[in-house]
Amino acid sequence: KIVEMHLDGMLLRIDGQEVSRVPLQVTVTEEMTPRIVAVGTQTPPTTSITGSGVLVFPVPDYVGISTRFGQGGHRGVDLRAPYGAPIYACDSGTVVEAGWHYSWGNYVKIDHGNGMATLYAHCSSLDVKAGERVYKGQTIAAMGSTGISSGNHCDFRIQLNGTFLNPLNYL
């Protein structure tokens, strides 16, 4: 080992290859500023986070409907898909609820602004938390059968000013 001493600190070289350098003095010229760097495969749009009112289908791996709106008093539509399939936000907005409900199991509720809100229930897992802003087409959860459920599906509901609407009229 050859250890060399320089004016700017201690330098360690092994067989001529620099391995480490320890400065004798450090002067801070500018304080570090923490910053958040988003890493992912999708780039969020730069447009407003308020929903457009034009909805995309929330279950891309859809294979059928098990319960329709109004059937037995149902306030949504049950969209069937394989376990673990992605569930998308049908429009941009803010997640107002994300958690567990005895009947819905894991669920997400999004406020899209202008009086519109959507709910996605019976998810196997959630990818968002309350307070997060989401954009149209973003994965928010995975298909499951949690809560009171008899098979993999997303109980998808739309509310406009508190009134439940048939989701099939908006997709």
Side-chain angles (χ1 to χ4, degrees), residues 19-39:
V19 175
S20 69
R21 182 182 297 253
V22 179
L24 292 177
Q25 180 179 359
V26 176
T27 304
V28 177
T29 58
E30 185 179 336
E31 289 296 323
M32 291 180 18
T33 304
R35 64 185 182 127
I36 299 171
V37 178
V39 177

Side-chain angles (χ1 to χ4, degrees), residues 88-159:
Y88 297 154
C90 67
D91 204 356
S92 299
T94 302
V95 177
V96 291
E97 297 176 30
W100 176 265
H101 181 273
Y102 78 95
S103 178
W104 295 329
N106 292 318
Y107 77 102
V108 174
K109 184 175 183 179
I110 301 172
D111 178 357
H112 302 286
N114 301 321
M116 182 176 272
T118 53
L119 183 126
Y120 313 76
H122 304 297
C123 309
S124 62
S125 63
L126 305 179
D127 294 338
V128 295
K129 295 179 177 68
E132 282 186 49
R133 292 182 172 183
V134 295
Y135 56 92
K136 182 189 294 190
Q138 178 179 337
T139 302
I140 58 168
M143 186 65 62
S145 183
T146 59
I148 300 173
S149 171
S150 60
N152 295 322
H153 71 281
C154 174
D155 179 351
F156 177 62
R157 301 178 181 204
I158 297 176
Q159 284 182 290

